[in-house]
Amino acid sequence: MNTPLKQLILIETGLLALFVLLGNGMRSVATMTVSVSQGEFASFLNISVERTDILIEVLIGGAVMALAIAPFVINSHTARKVCLATAILASASYAAVGLTMHWDPALSVREIIVLASFCMGGFAISFFAPLAQLAISQAKTDREKSMLTTVWTAAQPMAFLIAPQLVKYVAFDVGTGNYFLILAVMPLLFLLIMPMVMGTADGAAASTTTGNSGTKQAPNWKLIGLFLSVVIIFEAWTTANSFLGVESLTGLGLMSVFLVLSAVLYFSVKSALPHDTKLPSDAIFLLVVLFILEIPTTGVYDTAYLVRHLCSSELIDDRATLGAASQVIMVFAAGALIARNPIWRERLWLLAIPCLIVASVATIFYPYPATDAALFYWTKMLSSIGIGIATTIVVSAVIASANGNKLITLAPAFVIMFGTEVGIEILEITFQISKLAGLGVTAAYQMVFVVQVSAVLLATTLMAWRWLAPKTQKTSAA
């Protein structure tokens, strides 16, 4: 192979990797900015630190809606249009946040503009993740696909690694308003790269669903509408809990509707599937485990605890940076091991689960007043190592078993975001119920940490059951 051709391939691969990195990374920068700058946003909106969690919720809520819709609107004919529309909408949303912080209007106007902008921004920029996955499918070799998948998985923790530094050295220097105006330019960079990689990506988009014969099947719009209704009702329920409290009749009513629709969706999907349909059961099981593990690893209440107990901003920033750095390192290490030998998908669970158990149990012993900085650091790092390995295992397993099915291929992005939001909601309900029961703030946080431990133990139990079940069956047969 001549040198110019090698250089061209390297350039194409580099652009594709940048497209993938930006696609799954930019949506995390704004979320992390709010997490790191909770005190500043609370001051700007004249609300408590806990109430700033609403900003994170609307960001994630918009992202969940986008990832729920994406498989049904992104195809070989619409990818470029979706990329253009969402990039422009994301830029406009973050520009609106920046301009509002400069304008500083009345409180009611500030809240409406900022919340709406974060919701629309989270919605728009989250389409970049499935667009990046579509681009990955255009890689020419399995090795390149494996590398790009690892980059996709590492993009979110890399954003978490970069965002605190941006807040610390950019936002606080130029002002948060200017920071979001700068952030508004980033989606346009993604848009600039799009023609160089999406030209080939358009040509081989996977079909929405395929049967065992590989033939394309028409989408079931009734099930799609029911699925989107479940997501919308869930978002309405979380919003009601945040604004009205978990004991409100509105919130309880929406919760009931959500549970009923979820049950209807489950049985509808079960009855609609053809009898000869063979779903990748191992991949689906791992997605369920990853969904559960997202509950204790949201980090929202860990950070809120530190802010509440007047930890220094430097401690919070450094903790986030060390956690993100640990996750990035483990994602690339796990990705390299799995690419070399797929058997590491099973072995690495023996490292991921203990890390998550130890980290979650240790949070119960967070001191008050918050003085033990070492405890805050190593628990975050262990938790990040565990979830980084787990995410890499699941994403690689799902993509390996998707067989061109677009719904399965795009499932990890939705599960990660929806699991994160469900986790935040479960922890918020726990926190509010604990306070309604008469517990103090510190005790309420400890109850949240207990729920996080329970989630890790549930995931561990499921993994152990899945691993032991075949062996038990063989023993019984013998």
Side-chain angles (χ1 to χ4, degrees), residues 30 67 113 207 354 478:
L67 295 172
I113 294 177
S207 62

Side-chain angles (χ1 to χ4, degrees), residues 415-438:
V415 167
I416 290 169
M417 292 305 299
F418 192 56
T420 299
E421 186 174 27
V422 170
I424 291 175
E425 191 60 26
I426 290 174
L427 300 182
E428 181 181 1
I429 290 172
T430 302
F431 187 78
Q432 289 194 33
I433 291 177
S434 299
K435 292 181 70 176
L436 289 172

Side-chain angles (χ1 to χ4, degrees), residues 23-295:
N24 200 34
M26 278 193 290
R27 63 191 173 124
S28 304
V29 173
T31 307
M32 194 63 187
T33 299
V34 179
S35 299
V36 174
S37 308
Q38 277 186 299
E40 185 169 344
F41 273 98
S43 175
F44 175 72
L45 294 175
N46 194 26
I47 55 179
S48 66
V49 171
E50 284 82 10
R51 296 286 283 181
T52 59
D53 294 341
I54 297 173
L55 294 178
I56 300 174
E57 284 186 23
V58 297
L59 265 172
I60 296 175
V64 168
M65 285 302 303
L67 295 172
I69 295 171
F72 312 112
V73 299
I74 296 178
N75 55 48
S76 59
H77 303 292
T78 63
R80 282 175 175 258
K81 294 179 181 178
V82 170
C83 190
L84 175 63
T86 53
I88 293 174
L89 180 57
S91 291
S93 298
Y94 294 130
V97 175
L99 292 173
T100 301
M101 298 192 80
H102 278 296
W103 176 30
D104 195 17
L107 175 61
S108 59
V109 177
R110 289 203 306 269
E111 287 183 336
I112 292 173
I113 294 177
V114 171
L115 289 174
S117 297
F118 271 114
C119 183
M120 295 305 298
F123 174 81
I125 209 165
S126 291
F127 277 95
F128 292 5
L131 286 168
Q133 287 179 305
L134 182 63
I136 290 174
S137 68
Q138 303 311 299
K140 296 178 177 62
T141 65
D142 290 339
R143 184 173 182 179
E144 190 177 6
K145 286 183 181 180
S146 178
M147 182 271 290
L148 291 171
T149 299
T150 302
V151 171
W152 186 92
T153 308
Q156 183 170 331
M158 288 177 72
F160 288 168
L161 177 63
I162 295 170
Q165 310 310 317
L166 292 176
V167 173
K168 188 174 181 180
Y169 297 108
V170 178
F172 288 160
D173 286 343
V174 304
T176 309
N178 288 333
Y179 172 83
F180 275 96
L181 291 176
I182 295 172
L183 185 63
V185 178
M186 295 303 295
L188 301 180
L189 176 61
F190 184 81
L191 188 60
L192 183 65
I193 303 173
M194 175 198 65
M196 306 177 196
V197 295
M198 199 57 74
T200 56
D202 280 354
S207 62
T208 301
T209 56
T210 56
N212 293 336
S213 62
T215 58
K216 187 174 179 180
Q217 298 176 345
N220 188 326
W221 291 109
K222 182 179 178 180
L223 285 181
I224 293 171
L226 184 57
F227 169 65
L228 294 179
S229 297
V230 169
V231 176
I232 291 171
I233 291 297
F234 179 80
E235 297 302 331
W237 174 38
T238 60
T239 302
N241 285 343
S242 298
F243 283 97
L244 304 176
V246 296
E247 77 281 11
S248 70
L249 292 177
T250 302
L252 293 174
L254 289 170
M255 179 188 70
S256 301
V257 174
F258 168 72
L259 293 176
V260 170
L261 284 180
S262 298
V264 172
L265 176 63
Y266 172 78
F267 289 109
S268 298
V269 170
K270 192 173 181 180
S271 61
L273 286 175
H275 294 294
D276 62 341
T277 300
K278 294 182 180 180
L279 297 174
S281 58
D282 288 341
I284 292 174
F285 172 78
L286 289 177
L287 286 172
V288 172
V289 171
L290 181 62
F291 178 86
I292 296 171
L293 289 177
E294 289 299 324
I295 296 172

